[in-house]
Amino acid sequence: MTDENKSETEVETQDNHEEEQEVHDELALKDEEIAKLKEDLEKQEAETQEYISLSQRLQADFENFKKITDRRNAEIIKFANENIIKEFIDCYEDFGRALEIENDKDLREGVELIYNKFNDILTKEGVEEIPAKGEKFDFSRHEALMTQKSDDVENGYIIDELMKGYMYKDKVLKYSKVIVCKK
């Protein structure tokens, strides 16, 4: 090999070495870029999972809200006639008091007929009298107007009912006004 050939070979080797170094440097830059893209992708995936989780929680919250709203609406419908029934109760009680008069047989029969019709309507609508006399006093259904001592009745039980109380389905419309035994 001549010096000239040797020098060309060294130049080519050096050029190859420089090209290899450039390729190596370029690959290192691409590897860094890939690592950065992978890191960004992982962050994006974590953020996506966070949004999915948030979406699922919001969906569950919406379903719960919808159930609560449906229950509330059902209760509103259930008690829609409450005010009219309260008014009927006052008339119903007036007829009951009129029936206590025993002079005129025809008047009594007419009033009894009306009283029974009112009773049927109230029963059909879900109105019931609250039992009182002889029952244990229950502040959620009775209103104590007085207390008395009594040897015949146990302490905390109702001696007498002054005014009837009424339930509409499972709600108190009017509390029973009562006298309670207190020893």
Side-chain angles (χ1 to χ4, degrees):
M1 221 188 222
T2 62
D3 278 8
E4 190 180 280
N5 283 344
K6 196 176 182 185
S7 189
E8 276 183 16
T9 308
E10 284 178 358
V11 168
E12 283 178 10
T13 306
Q14 190 174 11
D15 284 346
N16 284 344
H17 189 17
E18 286 176 4
E19 284 177 8
E20 284 178 12
Q21 184 63 39
E22 284 178 10
V23 168
H24 188 287
D25 289 345
E26 217 174 293
L27 284 174
L29 284 173
K30 294 293 181 187
D31 285 346
E32 285 177 18
E33 194 176 317
I34 289 171
K36 186 175 188 271
L37 288 172
K38 281 183 179 178
E39 186 180 314
D40 288 346
L41 180 61
E42 288 173 5
K43 284 180 184 176
Q44 290 297 326
E45 286 176 347
E47 194 172 286
T48 299
Q49 286 303 318
E50 206 173 302
Y51 286 132
I52 289 171
S53 178
L54 175 63
S55 173
Q56 290 169 339
R57 285 192 306 272
L58 287 173
Q59 182 68 31
D61 287 346
F62 176 74
E63 290 297 325
N64 289 337
F65 172 77
K66 188 176 174 187
K67 287 176 187 175
I68 289 169
T69 303
D70 289 347
R71 276 191 298 247
R72 189 177 303 140
N73 288 342
E75 187 168 304
I76 288 170
I77 290 167
K78 182 178 178 181
F79 294 107
N81 295 329
E82 180 177 341
N83 290 333
I84 190 79
I85 289 173
K86 281 182 183 178
E87 291 177 30
F88 277 135
I89 286 174
D90 290 335
C91 294
Y92 178 72
E93 289 180 330
D94 289 341
F95 276 117
R97 285 187 281 277
L99 286 175
E100 293 172 6
I101 301 171
E102 296 181 16
N103 327 21
D104 191 343
K105 186 177 179 183
D106 291 337
L107 174 64
R108 178 165 177 77
E109 285 175 8
V111 172
E112 277 181 5
L113 180 68
I114 295 169
Y115 181 81
N116 290 333
K117 283 183 181 179
F118 266 112
N119 188 24
D120 291 344
I121 291 169
L122 292 172
T123 301
K124 183 180 78 177
E125 290 295 324
V127 176
E128 299 174 8
E129 289 183 11
I130 297 172
K133 191 170 183 177
E135 299 284 321
K136 181 153 180 63
F137 177 76
D138 179 357
F139 71 91
S140 66
R141 300 177 342 146
H142 305 119
E143 181 180 340
L145 295 182
M146 298 172 52
T147 58
Q148 286 181 353
K149 290 184 180 182
S150 174
D151 296 331
D152 300 334
V153 180
E154 287 184 48
N155 189 38
Y157 280 77
I158 297 172
I159 297 172
D160 198 9
E161 178 180 54
L162 302 174
M163 292 183 77
K164 292 180 181 182
Y166 298 90
M167 298 283 293
Y168 177 54
K169 298 183 181 174
D170 56 354
K171 183 178 180 181
V172 174
L173 274 182
K174 184 176 180 183
Y175 292 90
S176 297
K177 299 191 183 332
V178 298
I179 300 172
V180 180
C181 180
K182 185 168 184 167
K183 295 184 181 184

mmCIF file of all heavy atoms in Angstrom, residues 103-145:
data_model
loop_
_atom_site.group_PDB
_atom_site.id
_atom_site.type_symbol
_atom_site.label_atom_id
_atom_site.label_comp_id
_atom_site.label_asym_id
_atom_site.label_seq_id
_atom_site.Cartn_x
_atom_site.Cartn_y
_atom_site.Cartn_z
ATOM 1 N N ASN A 103 -133.460 14.474 68.033
ATOM 2 C CA ASN A 103 -134.867 14.890 68.019
ATOM 3 C C ASN A 103 -135.595 14.442 66.760
ATOM 4 O O ASN A 103 -136.625 13.810 66.830
ATOM 5 C CB ASN A 103 -135.042 16.408 68.069
ATOM 6 C CG ASN A 103 -134.014 17.131 68.841
ATOM 7 O OD1 ASN A 103 -132.935 16.645 69.061
ATOM 8 N ND2 ASN A 103 -134.356 18.315 69.265
ATOM 9 N N ASP A 104 -135.094 14.798 65.627
ATOM 10 C CA ASP A 104 -135.829 14.581 64.383
ATOM 11 C C ASP A 104 -135.243 13.386 63.638
ATOM 12 O O ASP A 104 -134.092 13.405 63.219
ATOM 13 C CB ASP A 104 -135.730 15.854 63.529
ATOM 14 C CG ASP A 104 -136.670 15.808 62.348
ATOM 15 O OD1 ASP A 104 -137.147 14.725 61.984
ATOM 16 O OD2 ASP A 104 -136.903 16.895 61.779
ATOM 17 N N LYS A 105 -136.078 12.378 63.435
ATOM 18 C CA LYS A 105 -135.627 11.129 62.825
ATOM 19 C C LYS A 105 -135.192 11.334 61.371
ATOM 20 O O LYS A 105 -134.156 10.816 60.954
ATOM 21 C CB LYS A 105 -136.739 10.085 62.916
ATOM 22 C CG LYS A 105 -136.306 8.723 62.430
ATOM 23 C CD LYS A 105 -137.414 7.713 62.603
ATOM 24 C CE LYS A 105 -136.954 6.374 62.074
ATOM 25 N NZ LYS A 105 -137.957 5.360 62.136
ATOM 26 N N ASP A 106 -135.945 12.085 60.570
ATOM 27 C CA ASP A 106 -135.603 12.309 59.155
ATOM 28 C C ASP A 106 -134.302 13.096 59.007
ATOM 29 O O ASP A 106 -133.473 12.774 58.159
ATOM 30 C CB ASP A 106 -136.723 13.040 58.430
ATOM 31 C CG ASP A 106 -137.967 12.172 58.272
ATOM 32 O OD1 ASP A 106 -137.823 10.929 58.308
ATOM 33 O OD2 ASP A 106 -139.062 12.730 58.107
ATOM 34 N N LEU A 107 -134.157 14.139 59.814
ATOM 35 C CA LEU A 107 -132.924 14.925 59.793
ATOM 36 C C LEU A 107 -131.735 14.026 60.107
ATOM 37 O O LEU A 107 -130.709 14.060 59.439
ATOM 38 C CB LEU A 107 -132.995 16.086 60.784
ATOM 39 C CG LEU A 107 -131.691 16.889 60.941
ATOM 40 C CD1 LEU A 107 -131.328 17.589 59.648
ATOM 41 C CD2 LEU A 107 -131.815 17.886 62.073
ATOM 42 N N ARG A 108 -131.937 13.226 61.112
ATOM 43 C CA ARG A 108 -130.867 12.317 61.523
ATOM 44 C C ARG A 108 -130.507 11.350 60.397
ATOM 45 O O ARG A 108 -129.332 11.132 60.133
ATOM 46 C CB ARG A 108 -131.269 11.547 62.778
ATOM 47 C CG ARG A 108 -130.195 10.561 63.219
ATOM 48 C CD ARG A 108 -130.407 10.070 64.632
ATOM 49 N NE ARG A 108 -129.418 9.088 64.997
ATOM 50 C CZ ARG A 108 -128.161 9.353 65.341
ATOM 51 N NH1 ARG A 108 -127.762 10.605 65.368
ATOM 52 N NH2 ARG A 108 -127.336 8.391 65.659
ATOM 53 N N GLU A 109 -131.499 10.786 59.729
ATOM 54 C CA GLU A 109 -131.224 9.842 58.646
ATOM 55 C C GLU A 109 -130.474 10.527 57.495
ATOM 56 O O GLU A 109 -129.553 9.962 56.919
ATOM 57 C CB GLU A 109 -132.523 9.215 58.138
ATOM 58 C CG GLU A 109 -133.097 8.178 59.080
ATOM 59 C CD GLU A 109 -134.450 7.649 58.616
ATOM 60 O OE1 GLU A 109 -134.886 7.972 57.472
ATOM 61 O OE2 GLU A 109 -135.073 6.912 59.390
ATOM 62 N N GLY A 110 -130.866 11.754 57.153
ATOM 63 C CA GLY A 110 -130.188 12.515 56.088
ATOM 64 C C GLY A 110 -128.745 12.829 56.450
ATOM 65 O O GLY A 110 -127.837 12.680 55.631
ATOM 66 N N VAL A 111 -128.577 13.282 57.664
ATOM 67 C CA VAL A 111 -127.225 13.611 58.114
ATOM 68 C C VAL A 111 -126.377 12.342 58.177
ATOM 69 O O VAL A 111 -125.195 12.347 57.803
ATOM 70 C CB VAL A 111 -127.265 14.344 59.475
ATOM 71 C CG1 VAL A 111 -125.871 14.505 60.038
ATOM 72 C CG2 VAL A 111 -127.925 15.704 59.317
ATOM 73 N N GLU A 112 -126.963 11.225 58.612
ATOM 74 C CA GLU A 112 -126.230 9.955 58.650
ATOM 75 C C GLU A 112 -125.788 9.548 57.245
ATOM 76 O O GLU A 112 -124.660 9.078 57.061
ATOM 77 C CB GLU A 112 -127.102 8.836 59.244
ATOM 78 C CG GLU A 112 -127.114 8.804 60.742
ATOM 79 C CD GLU A 112 -127.982 7.664 61.296
ATOM 80 O OE1 GLU A 112 -128.495 6.841 60.516
ATOM 81 O OE2 GLU A 112 -128.141 7.627 62.522
ATOM 82 N N LEU A 113 -126.641 9.739 56.275
ATOM 83 C CA LEU A 113 -126.309 9.412 54.896
ATOM 84 C C LEU A 113 -125.101 10.235 54.437
ATOM 85 O O LEU A 113 -124.151 9.697 53.856
ATOM 86 C CB LEU A 113 -127.520 9.656 53.989
ATOM 87 C CG LEU A 113 -127.320 9.361 52.503
ATOM 88 C CD1 LEU A 113 -127.133 7.864 52.282
ATOM 89 C CD2 LEU A 113 -128.513 9.857 51.708
ATOM 90 N N ILE A 114 -125.144 11.536 54.675
ATOM 91 C CA ILE A 114 -124.035 12.424 54.291
ATOM 92 C C ILE A 114 -122.765 12.038 55.050
ATOM 93 O O ILE A 114 -121.671 11.963 54.483
ATOM 94 C CB ILE A 114 -124.396 13.896 54.540
ATOM 95 C CG1 ILE A 114 -125.546 14.308 53.628
ATOM 96 C CG2 ILE A 114 -123.195 14.802 54.314
ATOM 97 C CD1 ILE A 114 -126.161 15.648 53.963
ATOM 98 N N TYR A 115 -122.923 11.788 56.331
ATOM 99 C CA TYR A 115 -121.785 11.388 57.162
ATOM 100 C C TYR A 115 -121.135 10.116 56.610
ATOM 101 O O TYR A 115 -119.915 10.031 56.475
ATOM 102 C CB TYR A 115 -122.263 11.176 58.609
ATOM 103 C CG TYR A 115 -121.176 10.792 59.578
ATOM 104 C CD1 TYR A 115 -120.347 11.762 60.134
ATOM 105 C CD2 TYR A 115 -120.985 9.465 59.957
ATOM 106 C CE1 TYR A 115 -119.349 11.414 61.037
ATOM 107 C CE2 TYR A 115 -119.998 9.113 60.851
ATOM 108 C CZ TYR A 115 -119.183 10.091 61.396
ATOM 109 O OH TYR A 115 -118.202 9.746 62.280
ATOM 110 N N ASN A 116 -121.943 9.143 56.244
ATOM 111 C CA ASN A 116 -121.419 7.879 55.709
ATOM 112 C C ASN A 116 -120.730 8.085 54.359
ATOM 113 O O ASN A 116 -119.711 7.450 54.076
ATOM 114 C CB ASN A 116 -122.528 6.833 55.606
ATOM 115 C CG ASN A 116 -122.974 6.366 56.978
ATOM 116 O OD1 ASN A 116 -122.208 6.392 57.946
ATOM 117 N ND2 ASN A 116 -124.232 5.936 57.079
ATOM 118 N N LYS A 117 -121.282 8.995 53.534
ATOM 119 C CA LYS A 117 -120.635 9.295 52.256
ATOM 120 C C LYS A 117 -119.261 9.933 52.478
ATOM 121 O O LYS A 117 -118.284 9.573 51.833
ATOM 122 C CB LYS A 117 -121.515 10.217 51.409
ATOM 123 C CG LYS A 117 -122.664 9.521 50.752
ATOM 124 C CD LYS A 117 -123.449 10.494 49.882
ATOM 125 C CE LYS A 117 -124.635 9.808 49.234
ATOM 126 N NZ LYS A 117 -125.418 10.747 48.411
ATOM 127 N N PHE A 118 -119.210 10.877 53.396
ATOM 128 C CA PHE A 118 -117.920 11.489 53.733
ATOM 129 C C PHE A 118 -116.944 10.422 54.245
ATOM 130 O O PHE A 118 -115.777 10.402 53.861
ATOM 131 C CB PHE A 118 -118.084 12.577 54.812
ATOM 132 C CG PHE A 118 -118.255 13.954 54.264
ATOM 133 C CD1 PHE A 118 -119.462 14.618 54.411
ATOM 134 C CD2 PHE A 118 -117.223 14.609 53.636
ATOM 135 C CE1 PHE A 118 -119.638 15.909 53.926
ATOM 136 C CE2 PHE A 118 -117.376 15.894 53.146
ATOM 137 C CZ PHE A 118 -118.591 16.546 53.286
ATOM 138 N N ASN A 119 -117.442 9.578 55.108
ATOM 139 C CA ASN A 119 -116.608 8.512 55.664
ATOM 140 C C ASN A 119 -116.053 7.616 54.549
ATOM 141 O O ASN A 119 -114.865 7.280 54.546
ATOM 142 C CB ASN A 119 -117.404 7.695 56.679
ATOM 143 C CG ASN A 119 -116.542 6.708 57.430
ATOM 144 O OD1 ASN A 119 -115.341 6.884 57.553
ATOM 145 N ND2 ASN A 119 -117.156 5.650 57.928
ATOM 146 N N ASP A 120 -116.905 7.258 53.597
ATOM 147 C CA ASP A 120 -116.474 6.419 52.472
ATOM 148 C C ASP A 120 -115.399 7.112 51.636
ATOM 149 O O ASP A 120 -114.399 6.498 51.248
ATOM 150 C CB ASP A 120 -117.667 6.055 51.581
ATOM 151 C CG ASP A 120 -118.648 5.104 52.273
ATOM 152 O OD1 ASP A 120 -118.275 4.491 53.301
ATOM 153 O OD2 ASP A 120 -119.797 4.980 51.777
ATOM 154 N N ILE A 121 -115.616 8.403 51.344
ATOM 155 C CA ILE A 121 -114.647 9.164 50.544
ATOM 156 C C ILE A 121 -113.302 9.227 51.266
ATOM 157 O O ILE A 121 -112.250 8.961 50.677
ATOM 158 C CB ILE A 121 -115.163 10.589 50.254
ATOM 159 C CG1 ILE A 121 -116.344 10.543 49.290
ATOM 160 C CG2 ILE A 121 -114.047 11.472 49.691
ATOM 161 C CD1 ILE A 121 -117.074 11.864 49.150
ATOM 162 N N LEU A 122 -113.337 9.576 52.533
ATOM 163 C CA LEU A 122 -112.087 9.691 53.288
ATOM 164 C C LEU A 122 -111.369 8.344 53.380
ATOM 165 O O LEU A 122 -110.150 8.278 53.223
ATOM 166 C CB LEU A 122 -112.367 10.261 54.686
ATOM 167 C CG LEU A 122 -112.827 11.718 54.702
ATOM 168 C CD1 LEU A 122 -113.275 12.120 56.104
ATOM 169 C CD2 LEU A 122 -111.735 12.643 54.208
ATOM 170 N N THR A 123 -112.120 7.276 53.601
ATOM 171 C CA THR A 123 -111.520 5.943 53.683
ATOM 172 C C THR A 123 -110.905 5.557 52.346
ATOM 173 O O THR A 123 -109.776 5.048 52.296
ATOM 174 C CB THR A 123 -112.575 4.902 54.111
ATOM 175 O OG1 THR A 123 -113.108 5.296 55.388
ATOM 176 C CG2 THR A 123 -111.977 3.520 54.239
ATOM 177 N N LYS A 124 -111.640 5.814 51.263
ATOM 178 C CA LYS A 124 -111.141 5.492 49.928
ATOM 179 C C LYS A 124 -109.855 6.260 49.623
ATOM 180 O O LYS A 124 -108.950 5.744 48.986
ATOM 181 C CB LYS A 124 -112.206 5.818 48.893
ATOM 182 C CG LYS A 124 -111.828 5.446 47.468
ATOM 183 C CD LYS A 124 -112.923 5.793 46.492
ATOM 184 C CE LYS A 124 -112.861 7.272 46.246
ATOM 185 N NZ LYS A 124 -113.770 7.823 45.292
ATOM 186 N N GLU A 125 -109.743 7.495 50.100
ATOM 187 C CA GLU A 125 -108.556 8.320 49.867
ATOM 188 C C GLU A 125 -107.379 7.950 50.775
ATOM 189 O O GLU A 125 -106.288 8.466 50.599
ATOM 190 C CB GLU A 125 -108.892 9.804 50.043
ATOM 191 C CG GLU A 125 -109.774 10.364 48.971
ATOM 192 C CD GLU A 125 -109.110 10.369 47.590
ATOM 193 O OE1 GLU A 125 -107.885 10.599 47.507
ATOM 194 O OE2 GLU A 125 -109.817 10.120 46.606
ATOM 195 N N GLY A 126 -107.613 7.079 51.748
ATOM 196 C CA GLY A 126 -106.512 6.653 52.619
ATOM 197 C C GLY A 126 -106.466 7.353 53.957
ATOM 198 O O GLY A 126 -105.445 7.330 54.634
ATOM 199 N N VAL A 127 -107.563 7.989 54.358
ATOM 200 C CA VAL A 127 -107.622 8.672 55.650
ATOM 201 C C VAL A 127 -108.135 7.689 56.698
ATOM 202 O O VAL A 127 -109.118 6.992 56.474
ATOM 203 C CB VAL A 127 -108.549 9.913 55.591
ATOM 204 C CG1 VAL A 127 -108.676 10.568 56.958
ATOM 205 C CG2 VAL A 127 -108.014 10.906 54.577
ATOM 206 N N GLU A 128 -107.435 7.641 57.828
ATOM 207 C CA GLU A 128 -107.848 6.769 58.937
ATOM 208 C C GLU A 128 -107.846 7.573 60.227
ATOM 209 O O GLU A 128 -107.035 8.482 60.394
ATOM 210 C CB GLU A 128 -106.857 5.609 59.103
ATOM 211 C CG GLU A 128 -106.730 4.697 57.924
ATOM 212 C CD GLU A 128 -105.624 3.658 58.122
ATOM 213 O OE1 GLU A 128 -105.062 3.565 59.238
ATOM 214 O OE2 GLU A 128 -105.330 2.950 57.160
ATOM 215 N N GLU A 129 -108.744 7.204 61.135
ATOM 216 C CA GLU A 129 -108.725 7.822 62.459
ATOM 217 C C GLU A 129 -107.543 7.268 63.232
ATOM 218 O O GLU A 129 -107.196 6.101 63.098
ATOM 219 C CB GLU A 129 -110.024 7.514 63.219
ATOM 220 C CG GLU A 129 -111.232 8.239 62.678
ATOM 221 C CD GLU A 129 -112.496 7.972 63.497
ATOM 222 O OE1 GLU A 129 -112.406 7.394 64.609
ATOM 223 O OE2 GLU A 129 -113.569 8.329 63.016
ATOM 224 N N ILE A 130 -106.962 8.111 64.070
ATOM 225 C CA ILE A 130 -105.865 7.670 64.932
ATOM 226 C C ILE A 130 -106.482 7.140 66.217
ATOM 227 O O ILE A 130 -107.205 7.879 66.899
ATOM 228 C CB ILE A 130 -104.897 8.835 65.254
ATOM 229 C CG1 ILE A 130 -104.236 9.336 63.970
ATOM 230 C CG2 ILE A 130 -103.855 8.406 66.279
ATOM 231 C CD1 ILE A 130 -103.407 10.595 64.148
ATOM 232 N N PRO A 131 -106.222 5.892 66.558
ATOM 233 C CA PRO A 131 -106.766 5.380 67.816
ATOM 234 C C PRO A 131 -106.157 6.149 68.995
ATOM 235 O O PRO A 131 -104.971 6.453 68.979
ATOM 236 C CB PRO A 131 -106.340 3.913 67.840
ATOM 237 C CG PRO A 131 -105.511 3.671 66.636
ATOM 238 C CD PRO A 131 -105.419 4.917 65.846
ATOM 239 N N ALA A 132 -106.989 6.462 69.981
ATOM 240 C CA ALA A 132 -106.477 7.270 71.080
ATOM 241 C C ALA A 132 -106.851 6.699 72.447
ATOM 242 O O ALA A 132 -105.973 6.297 73.205
ATOM 243 C CB ALA A 132 -106.956 8.707 70.945
ATOM 244 N N LYS A 133 -108.139 6.691 72.770
ATOM 245 C CA LYS A 133 -108.578 6.321 74.118
ATOM 246 C C LYS A 133 -108.084 4.913 74.470
ATOM 247 O O LYS A 133 -108.295 3.965 73.735
ATOM 248 C CB LYS A 133 -110.105 6.389 74.223
ATOM 249 C CG LYS A 133 -110.589 6.267 75.649
ATOM 250 C CD LYS A 133 -112.067 6.583 75.747
ATOM 251 C CE LYS A 133 -112.480 6.522 77.207
ATOM 252 N NZ LYS A 133 -113.878 6.878 77.373
ATOM 253 N N GLY A 134 -107.366 4.827 75.605
ATOM 254 C CA GLY A 134 -106.844 3.553 76.066
ATOM 255 C C GLY A 134 -105.480 3.208 75.470
ATOM 256 O O GLY A 134 -104.850 2.234 75.865
ATOM 257 N N GLU A 135 -105.010 4.008 74.519
ATOM 258 C CA GLU A 135 -103.715 3.765 73.873
ATOM 259 C C GLU A 135 -102.608 4.451 74.673
ATOM 260 O O GLU A 135 -102.856 5.401 75.410
ATOM 261 C CB GLU A 135 -103.712 4.344 72.454
ATOM 262 C CG GLU A 135 -104.734 3.742 71.526
ATOM 263 C CD GLU A 135 -104.327 2.368 71.037
ATOM 264 O OE1 GLU A 135 -103.143 2.142 70.751
ATOM 265 O OE2 GLU A 135 -105.226 1.501 70.945
ATOM 266 N N LYS A 136 -101.370 3.988 74.480
ATOM 267 C CA LYS A 136 -100.217 4.659 75.076
ATOM 268 C C LYS A 136 -100.010 5.971 74.322
ATOM 269 O O LYS A 136 -100.121 6.026 73.113
ATOM 270 C CB LYS A 136 -98.969 3.785 74.959
ATOM 271 C CG LYS A 136 -97.739 4.413 75.585
ATOM 272 C CD LYS A 136 -96.770 3.354 76.040
ATOM 273 C CE LYS A 136 -95.531 3.928 76.666
ATOM 274 N NZ LYS A 136 -95.726 4.674 77.856
ATOM 275 N N PHE A 137 -99.743 7.045 75.062
ATOM 276 C CA PHE A 137 -99.541 8.362 74.456
ATOM 277 C C PHE A 137 -98.331 8.312 73.524
ATOM 278 O O PHE A 137 -97.266 7.836 73.879
ATOM 279 C CB PHE A 137 -99.333 9.435 75.532
ATOM 280 C CG PHE A 137 -99.056 10.788 74.953
ATOM 281 C CD1 PHE A 137 -100.073 11.546 74.407
ATOM 282 C CD2 PHE A 137 -97.766 11.298 74.943
ATOM 283 C CE1 PHE A 137 -99.817 12.796 73.854
ATOM 284 C CE2 PHE A 137 -97.504 12.543 74.405
ATOM 285 C CZ PHE A 137 -98.530 13.289 73.866
ATOM 286 N N ASP A 138 -98.519 8.812 72.306
ATOM 287 C CA ASP A 138 -97.456 8.866 71.301
ATOM 288 C C ASP A 138 -97.426 10.287 70.753
ATOM 289 O O ASP A 138 -98.332 10.702 70.034
ATOM 290 C CB ASP A 138 -97.756 7.855 70.182
ATOM 291 C CG ASP A 138 -96.720 7.864 69.069
ATOM 292 O OD1 ASP A 138 -95.781 8.683 69.104
ATOM 293 O OD2 ASP A 138 -96.877 7.044 68.144
ATOM 294 N N PHE A 139 -96.373 11.038 71.108
ATOM 295 C CA PHE A 139 -96.320 12.449 70.720
ATOM 296 C C PHE A 139 -96.307 12.640 69.203
ATOM 297 O O PHE A 139 -96.602 13.720 68.718
ATOM 298 C CB PHE A 139 -95.098 13.144 71.340
ATOM 299 C CG PHE A 139 -93.783 12.722 70.753
ATOM 300 C CD1 PHE A 139 -93.244 13.388 69.685
ATOM 301 C CD2 PHE A 139 -93.097 11.639 71.276
ATOM 302 C CE1 PHE A 139 -92.052 12.999 69.130
ATOM 303 C CE2 PHE A 139 -91.900 11.238 70.735
ATOM 304 C CZ PHE A 139 -91.370 11.923 69.659
ATOM 305 N N SER A 140 -95.986 11.596 68.439
ATOM 306 C CA SER A 140 -95.976 11.739 66.982
ATOM 307 C C SER A 140 -97.375 11.597 66.380
ATOM 308 O O SER A 140 -97.565 11.827 65.196
ATOM 309 C CB SER A 140 -95.033 10.714 66.346
ATOM 310 O OG SER A 140 -95.519 9.406 66.546
ATOM 311 N N ARG A 141 -98.382 11.208 67.230
ATOM 312 C CA ARG A 141 -99.754 11.050 66.727
ATOM 313 C C ARG A 141 -100.791 11.727 67.622
ATOM 314 O O ARG A 141 -101.920 11.905 67.204
ATOM 315 C CB ARG A 141 -100.099 9.562 66.599
ATOM 316 C CG ARG A 141 -99.170 8.855 65.647
ATOM 317 C CD ARG A 141 -99.372 7.373 65.505
ATOM 318 N NE ARG A 141 -100.114 6.733 66.553
ATOM 319 C CZ ARG A 141 -100.925 5.711 66.366
ATOM 320 N NH1 ARG A 141 -101.097 5.222 65.169
ATOM 321 N NH2 ARG A 141 -101.548 5.146 67.368
ATOM 322 N N HIS A 142 -100.402 12.058 68.849
ATOM 323 C CA HIS A 142 -101.356 12.640 69.807
ATOM 324 C C HIS A 142 -100.824 13.978 70.314
ATOM 325 O O HIS A 142 -99.621 14.193 70.410
ATOM 326 C CB HIS A 142 -101.547 11.702 71.018
ATOM 327 C CG HIS A 142 -101.956 10.313 70.636
ATOM 328 N ND1 HIS A 142 -101.199 9.206 70.940
ATOM 329 C CD2 HIS A 142 -103.036 9.847 69.983
ATOM 330 C CE1 HIS A 142 -101.795 8.122 70.494
ATOM 331 N NE2 HIS A 142 -102.916 8.480 69.897
ATOM 332 N N GLU A 143 -101.773 14.840 70.697
ATOM 333 C CA GLU A 143 -101.417 16.112 71.327
ATOM 334 C C GLU A 143 -102.084 16.139 72.696
ATOM 335 O O GLU A 143 -103.315 16.096 72.792
ATOM 336 C CB GLU A 143 -101.915 17.275 70.467
ATOM 337 C CG GLU A 143 -101.563 18.628 71.037
ATOM 338 C CD GLU A 143 -102.083 19.765 70.162
ATOM 339 O OE1 GLU A 143 -102.365 19.553 68.970
ATOM 340 O OE2 GLU A 143 -102.209 20.883 70.713
ATOM 341 N N ALA A 144 -101.266 16.187 73.740
ATOM 342 C CA ALA A 144 -101.807 16.184 75.101
ATOM 343 C C ALA A 144 -102.259 17.599 75.452
ATOM 344 O O ALA A 144 -101.453 18.513 75.519
ATOM 345 C CB ALA A 144 -100.753 15.697 76.086
ATOM 346 N N LEU A 145 -103.576 17.735 75.710
ATOM 347 C CA LEU A 145 -104.101 19.034 76.124
ATOM 348 C C LEU A 145 -104.125 19.149 77.639
ATOM 349 O O LEU A 145 -104.052 20.259 78.174
ATOM 350 C CB LEU A 145 -105.504 19.252 75.555
ATOM 351 C CG LEU A 145 -105.596 19.346 74.034
ATOM 352 C CD1 LEU A 145 -107.033 19.607 73.603
ATOM 353 C CD2 LEU A 145 -104.684 20.424 73.484
#
